Amino acid sequence: SCGINFDKYDKIEVKVTGENVPRPINSFESSGLRTYILDNVKKSGYATPTPVQKHAIPIIMDKRDLMACAQTGSGKTAAFLLPIIHVLLNEPQDLVLDSEHCEPQAVIISPTRELTLQIFNEARKFSHGSMVKTVVAYGGTAAYHQAQQVMRGCHILVATPGRLIDFVNRGRITFSSLRYFVLDEADRMLDLGFLPEIEKMMSHPTMVEMGLRQTLMFSATFPEEIQRLAWKFLNNYLFLAVGIVGG
Ligand code: ADP
Ligand code: MG
C-alpha cells in the first residue's frame, strides 16, 4: 500500500532548526546512498524522496542527532533506515559474537508489534542481499524464538520497548557497540506510558558511556514531554518539522 500523495507536498512547509544544516537532497540518486541500497529502494517502488526523507537522509548521513516531526504516512521509516543501512555497509564494524549477550549496532524502538514488524520488513527489504543482519523482538508467542535470534547477533534490532527492556535487564543486550538509537513514534510511546522506561534505558550505563552514538527521534506531534526528552538525550541536534506540527 502506497499512501503517499505527492501533489499535496508541493506547498508543504519544512523548517530545520540548529547549527550547520546539511542541504536537502532532491532525488535518491543524488543522495550519496550506495547503489546497492538505491536498487532496493527502486524495487520498493520509491521514485522520489518525500519531504521528510529529503531533509532527514543528509542529516543522518552527516552523523547528526535529529528530532523529526512529520505526520503519519509521510515516509519516516525510510528516512532513518536508508542512511543507517548505508553507514552500516559503508563503514562496517565487526559484530560482537558470544553466546552470552548481543551488541546491536542500531536499535530501533517502536510502540506496537505491528509497527515493529513493519519497520523490520522495510529494513530487510532495503538491506536485502547484504551482510546487514536485522532481528525483531516484540515478545508474545514468538518470544523464545526471537530471543534465540537476538543471541545469534545482529546489526539492527527492531523492538518494542517492553521487550527491549526485558533483554537489557537480563543482560542479554548491551549497548556497547551501539551506533544508532532510534525512537520512532515518540508521541505514541508517551500516550502508551512507555516514556519513564525509555528514559531509564537511555540512561543505562552502557548507553551513556558511548560517546559516538547517534540518537534519532521521530514523532507525528511534538508535545512538551517529547521536547523535554529531545533536549535531555539529543546532542547538538537538528530539529526538523514537516508541515504544521502541533504539541
Ligand atoms: P510514517 O512512518 O511517516 O507514518 P511510513 O514510513 O510508514 O510513514 O510510509 C508510509 C507509506 O509510504 C508506506 O507504505 C511506505 O512504503 C510508503 N513510502 C515511503 N516513502 C516513499 C517514497 N519515497 N515513495 C513512495 N512511497 C513511499
Ligand atoms: Mg512510522
Side-chain angles (χ1 to χ4, degrees), residues 1-2 4 6 28 45-46 48-50 53 71-77 122:
S1 66
C2 175
I4 296 208
F6 280 92
F28 285 121
Y46 294 15
T48 317
T50 65
Q53 291 164 2
Q71 69 181 72
T72 301
S74 58
K76 294 191 287 297
T77 315
E122 296 266 291

